Amino acid sequence: MGKRNVSIFFLLLIVITMVWTIYSSFFKERTSEGEMFTEDEFIDFLYQNLGMEEPHDIVPLDATDGHSHDEELETSYQPMNVEALDFQLKTIHNETIRLSELKGKKILLNFWTSWCPPCKEEMQELNEFYDQYAIRNDIEILAINVTDQEFSIDDVRDFSAQYQLQFPVLLDERGEVSKKYQIMTIPTSFIIHEDGTVIEKIVGPVTKDVLLEKFQ
């Protein structure tokens, strides 16, 4: 066995040992409390114990202070009156969309990731709203995936196919648009008036009924 192979072997052994040690600690902690743990929770545990940080410090809604996984998630609504910041992004189908070119339409900007539980909850609601109401009323949904928070673009494409998303899915690969819109929690949505003004910010998952009321 060459020196290079030996080095790789010992490096893998060290990494496996670290992960197993962390996993064992996490498992004992959770089982002693009589609770089950999820894959997302274990990944978060690895991030914390290996000293890793997620870009932008974006937090899914069910992990924020004051909420546990067993509580009903609360969605907050904040009226606004500011000009929507323009951007241009590619979609998962390699089409280019510029926000300013959609002026004259009502728009829902939705920031999300494929691993965010509340994002998964609201996607069916967004799909139903888009299919049953938005298309015929000239309303557009732009689902901006915070792609620099994903493991790969393939995860985004797989998610879109699994949930059969009908509206444009945009890839914010460098996280520039999410930074521009100061996204701290996902999902977060913005309602944009026909004149290009952001009139409301919604933090948390939205439902079809809420959107029907907002876009009347």
Side-chain angles (χ1 to χ4, degrees):
M1 183 180 294
K3 292 183 178 179
R4 182 182 178 187
N5 290 337
V6 171
S7 299
I8 293 175
F9 173 79
F10 279 107
L11 178 60
L12 288 174
L13 183 61
I14 291 171
V15 171
I16 291 171
T17 302
M18 290 176 60
V19 171
W20 177 252
T21 301
I22 294 171
Y23 178 85
S24 299
S25 173
F26 183 69
F27 181 80
K28 290 177 182 178
E29 177 184 335
R30 295 307 297 268
T31 54
S32 65
E33 297 174 358
E35 300 178 3
M36 298 296 292
F37 60 89
T38 66
E39 179 182 353
D40 289 338
E41 289 175 323
F42 180 59
I43 290 174
D44 291 341
F45 190 78
L46 287 178
Y47 270 107
Q48 295 170 7
N49 284 272
L50 294 178
M52 300 167 63
E53 294 182 0
E54 295 184 62
H56 315 333
D57 293 327
I58 291 179
V59 181
L61 186 66
D62 62 349
T64 56
D65 292 339
H67 293 286
S68 73
H69 295 283
D70 296 325
E71 294 177 341
E72 183 179 353
L73 301 179
E74 296 181 2
T75 299
S76 63
Y77 305 89
Q78 176 185 343
M80 302 183 69
N81 185 22
V82 296
E83 183 178 355
L85 300 175
D86 196 19
F87 60 82
Q88 177 175 298
L89 291 173
K90 293 281 190 180
T91 72
I92 56 174
H93 302 299
N94 205 35
E95 300 170 344
T96 299
I97 291 181
R98 179 180 289 277
L99 179 65
S100 58
E101 292 178 353
L102 298 177
K103 198 169 184 177
K105 289 187 174 185
K106 292 181 180 180
I107 300 171
L108 178 74
L109 289 187
N110 176 259
F111 290 85
W112 66 284
T113 62
S114 64
W115 47 262
C116 161
C119 301
K120 297 175 182 179
E121 294 176 9
E122 75 174 356
M123 281 303 173
Q124 183 175 351
E125 298 284 334
L126 293 181
N127 242 356
E128 291 181 4
F129 172 75
Y130 191 74
D131 180 57
Q132 299 173 12
Y133 185 82
I135 295 176
R136 68 172 182 266
N137 287 279
D138 204 26
I139 297 169
E140 188 59 87
I141 294 178
L142 300 181
I144 302 178
N145 176 262
V146 188
T147 316
D148 67 330
Q149 296 282 310
E150 300 280 359
F151 286 107
S152 72
I153 293 178
D154 287 338
D155 291 339
V156 184
R157 294 193 175 100
D158 291 344
F159 183 99
S160 178
Q162 177 184 351
Y163 286 86
Q164 300 180 342
L165 303 184
Q166 303 178 50
F167 38 80
V169 175
L170 284 65
L171 300 172
D172 188 14
E173 297 187 59
R174 298 182 179 179
E176 294 174 349
V177 179
S178 61
K179 290 177 182 177
K180 183 181 291 189
Y181 277 80
Q182 300 181 13
I183 303 302
M184 299 300 294
T185 301
I186 49 175
T188 291
S189 300
F190 296 88
I191 295 177
I192 301 178
H193 193 266
E194 293 99 323
D195 63 3
T197 301
V198 178
I199 60 175
E200 190 162 11
K201 177 180 180 180
I202 305 173
V203 178
V206 295
T207 65
K208 178 183 69 175
D209 291 340
V210 167
L211 292 176
L212 286 172
E213 179 182 341
K214 298 292 183 181
F215 281 96
Q216 282 184 351

